Amino acid sequence: MAKDYDVVIIGGGTGGYVAAIRSAQLGLKTAIVEKGNLGGTCLHKGCIPSKALLRSAEVYATTKNHAADFGVNTGEVTLDFSRVQARKESIVNQLHQGVQGLMKKGKIDVYEGTGRMLGPSIFSPSPGGTISIEMNNGDENEMLIPKNVVIATGSRPRTLPGLTIDGEFVMSSDEALAMTELPKTMLIVGGGVIGIEWASMLNDFGVEVTVVEYADRIIPTEDKDISKEMQKLLAKKGITFVTSAKVLPETLETKEKEVQISAEINGEMKTFVAEKMLVSVGRQANVEGIGIENTDIVVEKGFIQVSETFQTKESHIYAIGDVIGGLQLAHVASHEGITAIEHIAGNDISPIDYALVSRCIYSNPEASSVGITEQQAKEQGFDVKVGKFSFKAIGKALVYGESDGFVKIVADKKTNDILGVHMIGPHVTDMISEAGLAMVLDATPWEIAHTIHPHPTLSEVIGEAALAVDGKAIHM
């Protein structure tokens, strides 16, 4: 027998389950359909497990290479990678149980299976149509009749055309997270955010890493000064970078214990050999197998097209998160989900301003940013002024033993508005929210500078960078 719901959410990742919680809070009868585990990619194959591994790598590298700098004699430092993975799994399991508990608390029905939109019929006069669920346990299909549908099916790792992921020699981040042993050498194809995080992590674990990037610089979507500093600091740690390199999938060869592939670099061919290869060239939306063909939903360049209220061409069907493209970030998906549900409930909403979304890279060193880059500002016709301040002049950074990096603030010379803030250095992913709040409140560098930052803290670098915009930095 079909069951009626106000909202059915297809996909229980970060965007989906947050949308479900908000829906239940607003008194809407809510269900989630999830074929895998609640929490989705972020919890099980992305944000959380990768950051757990990054933390273990950081502790290992710090203890091995820098403990003596703090007067701590450790003796021989060794790595037990099985315990590293066990810690990762423990964290994931704890958070997974937490999400399951939130579903029970909100009285949200969770269906474990694959949901497919069938569209309206004489058996389902609801404009939301029918959702058919192929249950994971093999039970007879469940049929749901929703008034509204939210598609939150997320994304999966993309690969280059002709480059097959075999899971053994050639991996995506999904397979890399499940490695039971670390290779001695790793070739990473793609120097974007995910590629750089993996390069940093593996290097800290003692793996010899080479990064091959198609663009003329790594993390090409970030400010050029951040890209340059990141490459300099990671190269200093021993990572090899090759930019302006077009990898040729047809040259891929796998042998007993290694993989090799060639790339074209400024008209010349170069062959790379490593034990393993990680392909990190972005993510593609999961739009297949959910019944889009039974709707009028528009898909362009692989992503579902939506309005600022996240409605598809069918007004009762919404889509959020990675499946709609844009900023494929967990915190963005969450806010998109909340906005969609608020609209379903008939509440007033404020469209998301994506220019105010903070972006983070959890490598070692970390990087973070909000707003536009200096280059983008100039391209958009702004007359800019820039303030930059190094962590080397910050007492707390010296105490931490991590003084590389800087904070850069880009402002409009005419209006004094902050256009973008870019950071690289210790704990900057935790500090970027101050800059994000400043931009939401339309603060000026003067207002940030006159916010008294406690001493000694790393956050003092933000106040100094704000002073530096007008050439008034105190400690440099």
Side-chain angles (χ1 to χ4, degrees):
M1 181 177 176
K3 299 178 183 178
D4 295 326
Y5 288 95
D6 294 314
V7 179
V8 171
I9 299 166
I10 303 176
T14 306
Y17 84 71
V18 169
I21 291 170
R22 187 64 187 130
S23 181
Q25 288 173 342
L26 292 172
L28 302 174
K29 187 178 180 183
T30 307
I32 281 185
V33 183
E34 170 55 56
K35 68 178 181 180
N37 292 316
L38 284 173
T41 294
C42 178
L43 177 52
H44 298 279
K45 295 182 178 180
C47 317
I48 299 302
S50 64
K51 277 54 181 181
L53 294 183
L54 277 159
R55 175 59 177 156
S56 289
E58 179 187 18
V59 170
Y60 174 65
T62 299
T63 306
K64 183 177 180 180
N65 302 323
H66 302 293
D69 298 340
F70 294 86
V72 178
N73 298 318
T74 58
E76 184 183 3
V77 179
T78 59
L79 180 69
D80 184 344
F81 194 64
S82 64
R83 291 190 66 180
V84 169
Q85 289 285 31
R87 179 178 184 270
K88 177 201 77 178
E89 290 301 320
S90 175
I91 293 168
V92 170
N93 290 337
Q94 181 177 339
L95 291 172
H96 183 214
Q97 290 172 13
V99 174
Q100 291 173 314
L102 290 171
M103 297 302 101
K104 292 178 181 177
K105 178 182 177 182
K107 298 181 180 178
I108 298 162
D109 292 338
V110 178
Y111 293 88
E112 297 179 355
T114 302
R116 181 180 176 84
M117 297 176 290
L118 300 182
S121 71
I122 59 173
F123 304 106
S124 171
S126 165
T130 303
I131 304 292
S132 172
I133 307 171
E134 182 181 344
M135 302 300 290
N136 289 347
N137 60 12
D139 286 353
E140 184 179 349
N141 283 13
E142 291 274 7
M143 304 295 285
L144 311 183
I145 301 177
K147 293 179 182 176
N148 298 278
V149 177
V150 178
I151 301 171
T153 48
S155 65
R156 61 188 183 275
R158 187 168 66 87
T159 187
L160 296 174
L163 191 59
T164 302
I165 304 291
D166 62 26
E168 181 181 1
F169 293 102
V170 183
M171 302 181 292
S172 71
S173 56
D174 287 357
E175 292 81 21
L177 282 169
M179 287 190 297
T180 56
E181 294 182 359
L182 289 168
K184 290 184 174 62
T185 56
M186 175 72 84
L187 174 66
I188 298 179
V189 177
V193 173
I194 297 174
I196 291 305
E197 288 184 354
W198 274 97
S200 173
M201 175 210 304
L202 292 168
N203 172 263
D204 279 349
F205 275 140
V207 177
E208 183 181 323
V209 178
T210 298
V211 177
V212 179
E213 167 57 39
Y214 179 77
D216 62 358
R217 60 189 176 98
I218 63 170
I219 46 175
T221 57
E222 295 300 321
D223 190 272
K224 285 183 179 179
D225 286 346
I226 298 295
S227 295
K228 182 179 178 181
E229 184 77 357
M230 180 69 80
Q231 182 166 333
K232 182 187 81 172
L233 295 177
L234 291 182
K236 185 178 177 182
K237 293 169 62 174
I239 298 174
T240 299
F241 292 97
V242 181
T243 55
S244 300
K246 181 182 179 181
V247 171
L248 304 173
E250 65 273 17
T251 65
L252 176 68
E253 291 184 31
T254 56
K255 300 180 180 179
E256 185 178 348
K257 292 184 178 180
E258 66 181 27
V259 58
Q260 71 176 46
I261 197 166
S262 298
E264 183 181 337
I265 308 161
N266 299 322
E268 297 184 3
M269 297 289 289
K270 183 174 181 178
T271 298
F272 299 90
V273 180
E275 284 188 19
K276 307 281 186 182
M277 182 167 75
L278 173 64
V279 181
S280 179
V281 291
R283 299 183 65 84
Q284 65 186 82
N286 294 323
V287 295
E288 306 87 358
I290 58 174
I292 286 179
E293 65 277 8
N294 299 323
T295 73
D296 292 327
I297 292 172
V298 176
V299 177
E300 289 183 3
K301 297 181 179 179
F303 298 103
I304 294 175
Q305 301 301 294
V306 295
S307 67
E308 66 178 14
T309 57
F310 303 104
Q311 290 168 286
T312 67
K313 193 173 180 182
E314 296 211 21
S315 60
H316 61 282
I317 302 178
Y318 294 68
I320 63 166
D322 286 9
V323 77
I324 67 172
L327 291 175
Q328 294 180 306
L329 302 169
H331 48 289
V332 170
S334 296
H335 281 270
E336 289 173 344
I338 291 170
T339 301
I341 294 298
E342 294 283 355
H343 190 262
I344 288 171
N347 297 334
D348 291 334
I349 64 167
S350 297
I352 295 175
D353 186 347
Y354 291 97
L356 302 179
V357 174
S358 297
R359 308 175 298 275
C360 297
I361 305 173
Y362 298 88
S363 49
N364 182 15
E366 295 182 346
S368 60
S369 58
V370 63
I372 59 178
T373 68
E374 180 181 356
Q375 296 74 36
Q376 289 169 333
K378 290 176 179 177
E379 289 167 2
Q380 292 176 26
F382 289 101
D383 185 11
V384 303
K385 55 181 180 178
V386 175
K388 199 172 177 182
F389 199 86
S390 172
F391 277 103
K392 284 182 168 48
I394 299 298
K396 187 65 174 291
L398 296 174
V399 169
Y400 260 67
E402 300 176 32
S403 59
D404 288 324
F406 56 83
V407 169
K408 174 180 179 178
I409 298 178
V410 182
D412 182 356
K413 208 179 265 189
K414 182 179 178 181
T415 65
N416 214 30
D417 288 338
I418 297 172
L419 301 174
V421 181
H422 310 276
M423 306 182 182
I424 181 169
H427 300 278
V428 296
T429 60
D430 297 313
M431 294 197 294
I432 193 61
S433 292
E434 178 183 341
L437 178 60
M439 292 192 66
V440 167
L441 297 178
D442 202 22
T444 65
W446 183 92
E447 289 168 313
I448 292 179
H450 283 76
T451 299
I452 299 177
H453 293 79
H455 174 77
T457 63
L458 295 173
S459 70
E460 289 177 273
V461 72
I462 301 174
E464 288 277 15
L467 285 168
V469 169
D470 294 308
K472 298 178 180 177
I474 299 298
H475 290 95
M476 185 173 287

